[in-house]
Amino acid sequence: MEISIIALPLVASIISGFFGKIIGDRNSEIVTSLMVTISAIFSVLVLYEVIVNQYQNNIIIATWINSGSLDVNWSMKIDALSAVMLVVVTSVSALVHIYSIGYMSHDPHKPRFMAYLSLFTFAMLMLVTSDNFMQLFFGWEGVGLCSYFLIGFWFKRETANAAAIKAFVVNRVGDFGFALGIFLIFYLFGTVNYSEVFEQIPLITDKELVFLGIEVNAINLICILLFIGAMGKSAQILLHTWLPDAMEGPTPVSALIHAATMVTAGVFLVVRCSPIYEYSELALNIITIVGMSTAFFAASVALVQNDIKKIIAYSTCSQLGYMFFAAGVGAYNVAMFHLFTHAFFKALLFLGSGSVIHAFKDEQNINNMGGVWKKLPYTYALMIVGTLALTGFPLLSGFYSKDAIIEFAYLRGNITGFYAAGIGIFTAFLTSIYSWRLIFKTFHGEYNNKNIKIEETHESPLVMLVPLIFLSIGAVFAGFVFKELFIGAESANNFWTDSIFFLEPLSNKHPPFWFLILTPTLVILSIPIAYYFFIKNKKLPEQIATINKPLHNFLLNKWYFDELYDFLFVRSSKKIGLFLWKFFDLKIIDGFGPDGISAMIKKFSIKANKFQSGFIYQYAFVMLLGFSALLTFLIIR
């Protein structure tokens, strides 16, 4: 059963990708959706076994590399951490597959799209079930490749191609650091298997290395290099610029890759490597700072965006920041809890936005929407559920997981923890404001679309709404049902066992009452504030933007990261490339190489051609010169 979880999406991808034209569009959709759904059911059964019987296993599928001390297998590691990720990946993927049947109904390349979705699912499953860093890296690069295929699926769009390339290149920056971290692990321990590496970590806590001319602690260096890879894959600040642009892909891609699975790979990496990170206070502080900076940055940018998918994309970026600073304060189980709940409500919001876009015939600007909540009642209600969960409204899933992150940061008791908690509370308020802005401008107020009559808007078909209903169930109940299991002091220790490592046991402490009610109070108050701003007094946001024009432009241009990178890297790279092309390639390599030789031969040919005059006396003269030269050569010799 366990191997089937991985094998079924791969088989589905092969069938749809290579035989899609033979079996037809509908059969491709059915085969891929059915196989991934079966994989999801098996994943739930595995998680049930882990919860009830504390089931653990390491299934060796095949030998991969056996050279010297490097012994790497294709394997499937089953423990609490991988079981949770299996459920997240397969369940969201199955619902996205089903949703895509309706959303991509008019696309002429449906088998290829479904094949890419299934292949991505396979790569992600290889990543989360690996028992060594090599297999992890295989899955890591596999999801990166599939994201390139899926973001650029509509390859005839120039913007889609540019977004796919950008995602691929930015991730290569992070992956370079990740690869260096794996090389360093093998250099120090002679193995890349998790269990063997984690056992040896306490033995090298004082080991120093020279890296780039600087003496650094070996564990700190490993942790920082691995985290650079996590920053790229999970779109943390500095390496985040690819994520909003990735919205150029079809909406199901956004829900699958950039909300629930691929972008959480970085969080999974840090949590899986908790036996290493627990010995690096420096790395944990860096993770906390980067995480809370990302959370605030992305939330501030989302306040002024007008593309419905980009608002949710920046929201994803922000929520990933929460997960990272949870891991940074040592609350790895809380980070996984938020990863788990976030998968449901963020996929719900993305697919819900896809339903809106579908109704508006591919319109994505929320300023061109409004007043359609009666026309799209089911989409509206389901997106309200997702928004309440995202903002952390009491008793919904986000309330339990996001507030737990802020509480654990506060209980950390150091300056970094207090700072992270403060930023987390303020960011939660911003999250609520931009989330309700999206709802109010999309569904309420006046109808603002000049190209489509309101009568032409329509609710999505059942095949698109059913996945939203299942996701809404997770968005409502996942937090309440799994809270005690994931983050309760006693039950969490029993559940996670050795899949997550804590130097100190989980605490039973609770923050003061005023702190517990602060975030929910702000979240509730933000609803009437957003209603007044975006429904009752629509001119007020414009007046505030006009008064604070520099700040508004700063946020609208996403803190100018793209412009900065364009100036520092893109333009300079182009200038260097042009110089190397025109000077080294054209003048030196081509000039002295093929172009130079061909030019020289051409000149000789032109000169030789002049001897072909057609006069016998000239031919005789040339023959005489040749005969004289030959005689001279023979005499000298």
Side-chain angles (χ1 to χ4, degrees), residues 47 50-52 54-56 77-86 88 267-268 271-272 274-275 330-341 408 482-502 506:
L47 180 61
V50 171
I51 295 171
V52 175
Q54 294 186 329
Y55 171 66
Q56 290 190 13
K77 182 179 177 66
I78 302 295
D79 59 9
L81 185 57
S82 61
V84 169
M85 291 300 297
L86 284 175
V88 169
V267 180
F268 169 78
V271 175
R272 174 61 83 191
S274 56
Y332 306 102
N333 56 328
V334 184
M336 287 303 301
F337 184 36
H338 193 50
L339 185 156
F340 182 74
T341 60
F408 271 81
F482 290 95
K483 178 189 176 186
E484 190 62 29
L485 182 70
F486 277 42
I487 62 176
E490 293 183 8
S491 55
N493 279 321
N494 294 330
F495 173 65
W496 295 112
T497 58
D498 59 350
S499 64
I500 297 179
F501 176 75
F502 299 97
L506 294 171

Side-chain angles (χ1 to χ4, degrees), residues 177-193:
F178 185 31
L180 288 178
I182 296 174
F183 294 154
L184 181 58
I185 287 171
F186 182 70
Y187 170 75
L188 290 172
F189 306 114
T191 181
V192 290
N193 295 316

Side-chain angles (χ1 to χ4, degrees), residues 213-473:
I214 304 170
E215 190 172 287
V216 291
N217 180 269
I219 293 180
N220 287 342
L221 184 56
I222 291 171
C223 290
I224 291 170
L225 290 172
L226 293 179
F227 180 59
I228 290 172
M231 284 177 65
K233 195 66 71 184
S234 294
Q236 293 301 282
I237 194 166
L238 301 180
L239 294 178
H240 68 279
T241 54
W242 66 271
L243 183 61
D245 288 4
M247 298 302 109
E248 287 293 335
T251 299
V253 173
S254 305
L256 178 63
I257 298 181
H258 308 113
T261 52
M262 173 178 146
V263 291
T264 60
V267 180
F268 169 78
L269 171 65
V270 172
V271 175
R272 174 61 83 191
C273 294
S274 56
I276 308 176
Y277 280 96
E278 279 292 89
Y279 290 96
S280 177
E281 190 70 24
L282 173 65
L284 290 177
N285 285 332
I286 290 173
I287 292 171
T288 306
I289 293 168
V290 170
M292 64 187 177
S293 300
T294 304
F296 172 71
F297 152 74
S300 69
V301 172
L303 285 171
V304 298
Q305 297 300 307
N306 295 316
D307 186 310
I308 187 171
K309 286 171 66 176
K310 286 193 175 182
I311 295 171
I312 303 173
Y314 276 109
S315 173
T316 298
C317 211
S318 183
Q319 297 306 305
L320 289 166
Y322 273 102
M323 297 175 208
F324 273 111
F325 85 66
V329 298
Y332 306 102
N333 56 328
V334 184
M336 287 303 301
F337 184 36
H338 193 50
L339 185 156
F340 182 74
T341 60
H342 174 264
F344 294 105
F345 59 73
K346 188 52 63 67
L348 171 59
L349 286 171
F350 263 119
L351 296 184
S353 70
S355 185
V356 173
I357 294 166
H358 188 72
F360 277 92
K361 299 180 181 178
D362 296 330
E363 176 61 66
Q364 294 185 199
N365 191 328
I366 59 175
N367 291 322
N368 297 328
M369 299 178 185
V372 293
W373 69 274
K374 290 182 179 179
K375 295 289 292 181
L376 312 174
Y378 301 113
T379 298
Y380 172 67
L382 293 166
M383 284 198 72
I384 288 287
V385 172
T387 298
L388 289 170
L390 169 64
T391 58
F393 194 84
L395 304 183
L396 273 76
S397 58
F399 166 74
Y400 293 101
S401 58
K402 187 159 67 175
D403 282 27
I405 291 174
I406 297 170
E407 291 165 21
F408 271 81
Y410 177 84
L411 291 172
R412 182 73 172 177
N414 57 15
I415 295 174
T416 307
F418 289 138
Y419 186 50
I423 292 292
I425 292 170
F426 184 61
T427 301
F429 177 71
L430 295 181
T431 301
S432 194
I433 293 292
Y434 71 68
S435 297
W436 287 108
R437 172 179 176 262
L438 185 152
I439 291 294
F440 291 140
K441 288 180 78 70
T442 301
F443 293 101
H444 291 271
E446 298 176 359
Y447 185 76
N448 297 312
N449 197 301
K450 297 178 181 179
N451 299 319
I452 307 167
K453 293 180 180 180
I454 191 168
E455 292 79 15
E456 295 179 24
T457 59
H458 56 85
E459 187 60 271
S460 297
L462 199 61
V463 73
M464 292 173 65
L465 291 176
V466 168
L468 296 181
I469 294 169
F470 277 102
L471 289 170
S472 67
I473 294 170

Side-chain angles (χ1 to χ4, degrees), residues 450-582:
K450 297 178 181 179
N451 299 319
I452 307 167
K453 293 180 180 180
I454 191 168
E455 292 79 15
E456 295 179 24
T457 59
H458 56 85
E459 187 60 271
S460 297
L462 199 61
V463 73
M464 292 173 65
L465 291 176
V466 168
L468 296 181
I469 294 169
F470 277 102
L471 289 170
S472 67
I473 294 170
V476 174
F477 296 109
F480 173 76
V481 172
F482 290 95
K483 178 189 176 186
E484 190 62 29
L485 182 70
F486 277 42
I487 62 176
E490 293 183 8
S491 55
N493 279 321
N494 294 330
F495 173 65
W496 295 112
T497 58
D498 59 350
S499 64
I500 297 179
F501 176 75
F502 299 97
L503 270 178
E504 299 177 3
L506 294 171
S507 173
N508 283 315
K509 294 180 182 179
H510 294 283
F513 180 73
W514 67 266
F515 188 85
L516 291 174
I517 64 171
L518 180 57
T519 306
T521 302
L522 289 173
V523 166
I524 294 171
L525 287 175
S526 67
I527 301 175
I529 293 172
Y531 182 77
Y532 179 76
F533 266 72
F534 305 112
I535 297 296
K536 284 294 183 182
N537 193 349
K538 294 182 179 180
K539 293 183 179 179
L540 187 57
E542 296 177 7
Q543 292 170 354
I544 294 173
T546 303
I547 294 170
N548 299 281
K549 195 69 174 177
L551 176 60
H552 181 261
N553 288 337
F554 181 69
L555 297 178
L556 194 62
N557 288 284
K558 302 158 285 189
W559 290 26
Y560 292 103
F561 271 107
D562 283 308
E563 289 77 4
L564 179 63
Y565 289 170
D566 182 65
F567 175 75
L568 292 177
F569 303 114
V570 177
R571 293 184 191 176
S572 57
S573 297
K574 283 183 178 179
K575 288 179 181 178
I576 294 171
L578 284 171
F579 172 75
L580 293 174
W581 169 49
K582 290 185 176 181

